Amino acid sequence: MKKIIAIVVCVAMSVALFAACAPATETPSAEASTEASASAEASTEASEPAASGEAKTIGYYKDAADDYYKAGYEVFLECLKADPETADWEVIDKVGQGTAQEQLAAVEDFITAGVDAIVVVQNSPEITAECITKANEAGIPYFALTHAPSVPAGGELAGFVGYDFVETGVMAGEDALTYNNGEGVKKLVMVEGKLGQGTASAQSLGFLQAYEEAGKDIGGTANDVAVNKTEGGADLQIVQWSSGDWMADPAKKVVADVITALGADGFDGMYVQNDEMMDGAIQALEEAGLNPADYWLGSSNGKEKSWKWAEEGRVTMDVNQTPALEGDLLYQMLKAYFNGDEYRKYVSPYLTPYNSSNVTELTLVPYDATAYMELRPDIVTDINDPKFEDAEALITFN
């Protein structure tokens, strides 16, 4: 097993809509992806003056009991504890079950409790806009994490940290194009987290953009195919659009059904959009007597278990997209806000793609909070460092 020492790989970011995992955001456009990817300069904004030198209370809402959300939260807590200036801050933690009303109720509870700041891993853009309005009216700064929110006209967002899920998909598509000695994947099973959901649609869009930009016939524009879930074209057929609900068991059933319906030769690749679903997909293939190494299998998240899968050839590629960086950058935003310092308000962490041929040569950032904190001195974590992309273009301002 290789020694894990994190390095910085600067990769363009674009529309946040996820793998991570789950809740809905607005479906991105290719234009938004291009705009975000082209944005290379760090923009800083002075925060509103705020009282410092006293313990703060933070309301932190996670839309589901998702391990991705949990990992980011745990790193956030570790960063607070490690800093004498923030070690005595209190965090009120609320976890929903994926409903918009739970998110709204949690934000209303935070406001009633008089917290100093609100952090939300959102359920949907629409309910988030209402939550931002309520927080603004109460004079409480609102920070969004993982999924890009929809900020209402005249609304104020104190900060956003989230990956560019379109770029994640692009990385997968570019790898798929190299499959079979450069012939590329021809018959793809697309296993989205949830059909039509923001983070899932963004990854599908990015995958299709890679083919489109390579001049391949995918049956229309990347945006049209991603939105309408069409069957593709001469160079890439989408033989099945499915949802694995971001979890292993539903994805296992999806893949088992695909094998039954299409047969072993009915597909040559699968884009399974997070590692939990990939876990189920691998199980389904192996239980059907198929060798995962005989297919192109791409994913995102890039958890520690996927590093081993890649070494063993059980997955072809993945993207290291750790929530640890999200939690760390969120901590920095909140500290800067309350100190009245300048800080970048919209930040996308860097992505590191890897595949079965190079995973042993790369250094990757862990999910585990303890391992992350041990390696943190060797990781670029300054929120104003230009290696982190400006994600302002990812936010939808209505």
Side-chain angles (χ1 to χ4, degrees):
M1 192 72 178
K2 63 182 179 296
K3 184 178 179 182
I4 307 166
I5 302 176
I7 59 170
V8 174
V9 179
C10 178
V11 188
M13 310 296 298
S14 92
V15 178
L17 316 318
F18 172 26
C21 31
T25 54
E26 292 185 343
T27 301
S29 65
E31 289 76 12
S33 171
T34 303
E35 182 180 358
S37 299
S39 177
E41 217 164 300
S43 63
T44 60
E45 293 194 28
S47 61
E48 293 296 320
S52 59
E54 59 185 43
K56 306 300 178 186
T57 300
I58 311 300
Y60 194 120
Y61 177 76
K62 301 186 288 292
D63 183 57
D66 185 278
D67 60 349
Y68 185 96
Y69 302 156
K70 180 182 178 182
Y73 176 71
E74 289 176 346
V75 168
F76 174 70
L77 293 183
E78 290 298 321
C79 289
L80 290 180
K81 288 192 298 182
D83 186 341
E85 292 184 39
T86 60
D88 59 351
W89 286 17
E90 178 186 0
V91 181
I92 302 173
D93 178 29
K94 288 182 178 289
V95 181
Q97 298 182 45
T99 72
Q101 287 308 308
E102 286 174 310
Q103 178 184 323
L104 180 60
V107 169
E108 290 174 336
D109 287 348
F110 293 150
I111 293 170
T112 300
V115 300
D116 297 295
I118 293 172
V119 176
V120 173
V121 179
Q122 73 179 22
N123 174 273
S124 71
E126 294 76 14
I127 206 68
T128 297
E130 183 176 352
C131 290
I132 292 172
T133 297
K134 287 180 177 289
N136 289 169
E137 290 173 348
I140 300 173
Y142 189 105
F143 294 82
L145 194 66
T146 305
H147 307 284
S150 179
V151 181
E156 174 71 19
L157 189 66
F160 164 70
V161 183
Y163 284 98
D164 175 353
F165 287 85
V166 170
E167 185 60 25
T168 298
V170 168
M171 291 174 175
E174 289 175 343
D175 192 275
L177 284 163
T178 69
Y179 180 68
N180 192 22
N181 298 317
E183 291 294 317
V185 172
K186 300 289 188 180
K187 295 180 289 186
L188 181 77
V189 176
M190 184 75 79
V191 185
E192 291 193 344
K194 289 185 180 179
L195 289 175
Q197 195 175 71
T199 48
S201 294
Q203 288 178 239
S204 297
L205 173 62
F207 186 98
L208 294 165
Q209 280 183 355
Y211 269 70
E212 182 178 48
E213 290 166 9
K216 301 297 185 181
D217 178 3
I218 58 173
T221 68
N223 196 67
D224 287 343
V225 176
V227 170
N228 298 318
K229 311 300 183 194
T230 55
E231 296 178 357
D235 295 319
L236 179 67
Q237 298 176 49
I238 314 296
V239 295
Q240 179 70 40
W241 289 90
S242 298
S243 169
D245 203 30
W246 302 111
M247 302 300 290
D249 286 345
K252 180 179 178 180
K253 184 179 186 308
V254 162
V255 174
D257 289 345
V258 166
I259 295 169
T260 299
L262 302 179
D265 298 326
F267 59 96
D268 59 356
M270 293 187 178
Y271 185 30
V272 185
Q273 294 182 348
N274 80 341
D275 287 344
E276 295 314 303
M277 294 194 298
M278 181 59 81
D279 203 337
I282 291 172
Q283 291 178 47
L285 288 165
E286 292 179 339
E287 289 178 12
L290 303 178
N291 184 357
D294 290 339
Y295 302 90
W296 181 89
L297 299 179
S299 189
S300 71
N301 277 174
K303 295 179 180 179
E304 288 88 335
K305 64 183 179 182
S306 174
W307 307 353
K308 184 177 181 181
W309 290 342
E311 287 184 47
E312 296 171 344
R314 297 171 79 199
V315 299
T316 314
M317 68 82 61
D318 207 327
V319 179
N320 189 212
Q321 178 185 304
T322 170
L325 289 176
E326 289 187 346
D328 196 330
L329 298 180
L330 171 68
Y331 145 77
Q332 293 183 51
M333 280 188 177
L334 282 158
K335 181 179 177 181
Y337 178 89
F338 286 115
N339 284 340
D341 296 333
E342 289 189 343
Y343 65 98
R344 293 173 65 188
K345 293 180 68 175
Y346 312 111
V347 181
S348 287
Y350 54 84
L351 295 164
T352 307
Y354 57 92
N355 57 41
S356 55
S357 66
N358 67 9
V359 65
T360 58
E361 302 169 6
L362 296 174
T363 53
L364 303 169
V365 184
Y367 272 56
D368 180 75
T370 300
Y372 177 82
M373 295 305 290
E374 290 175 355
L375 295 170
R376 191 170 179 244
D378 300 318
I379 301 171
V380 173
T381 56
D382 179 0
I383 199 168
N384 292 320
D385 192 291
K387 292 183 183 297
F388 293 108
E389 290 292 324
D390 182 359
E392 186 167 2
L394 309 191
I395 309 293
T396 302
F397 291 99
N398 295 332

